[in-house]
Amino acid sequence: MIALAGEPYLDLLARLHEQFPPRTYLEIGIGSGASLALAGRASIAIGIDPQPQIDRPLPAAARVFRETSDEFFARRQFAATLGG
């Protein structure tokens, strides 16, 4: 793993979500759900991961798709998944 200088990624992402709340949020590779959980004010939050290991509550608007991103985009009309 490479360590970079600066504030931790999740702290930076939390600040960005506070200053610029996303209406929609898409995350590929959600792991434990730590960063997806920060999308609490998004009207739609989508997480894509073939083997998510979610260990925390996610926002009510979150939808997790247990598949690869290639599978996700091949099977769905992305605009429809986001509600148009």
Side-chain angles (χ1 to χ4, degrees):
M1 180 188 314
I2 298 173
L4 300 175
E7 70 183 295
Y9 167 75
L10 290 175
D11 293 346
L12 174 62
L13 189 58
R15 277 193 314 108
L16 286 172
H17 281 253
E18 287 175 19
Q19 293 179 15
F20 307 102
R23 289 187 307 206
T24 57
Y25 184 80
L26 170 71
E27 183 173 332
I28 297 173
I30 63 172
S32 70
S35 51
L36 184 60
L38 297 174
R41 292 193 267 171
S43 58
I44 298 173
I46 296 174
I48 304 167
D49 194 314
Q51 296 180 330
Q53 302 294 316
I54 299 168
D55 63 2
R56 66 202 69 228
L58 296 177
R63 295 176 59 196
V64 174
F65 293 86
R66 296 175 187 272
E67 57 194 7
T68 67
S69 57
D70 287 344
E71 292 167 336
F72 175 87
F73 290 109
R75 294 179 183 171
R76 291 177 180 72
Q77 294 293 323
F78 185 59
T81 303
L82 291 177

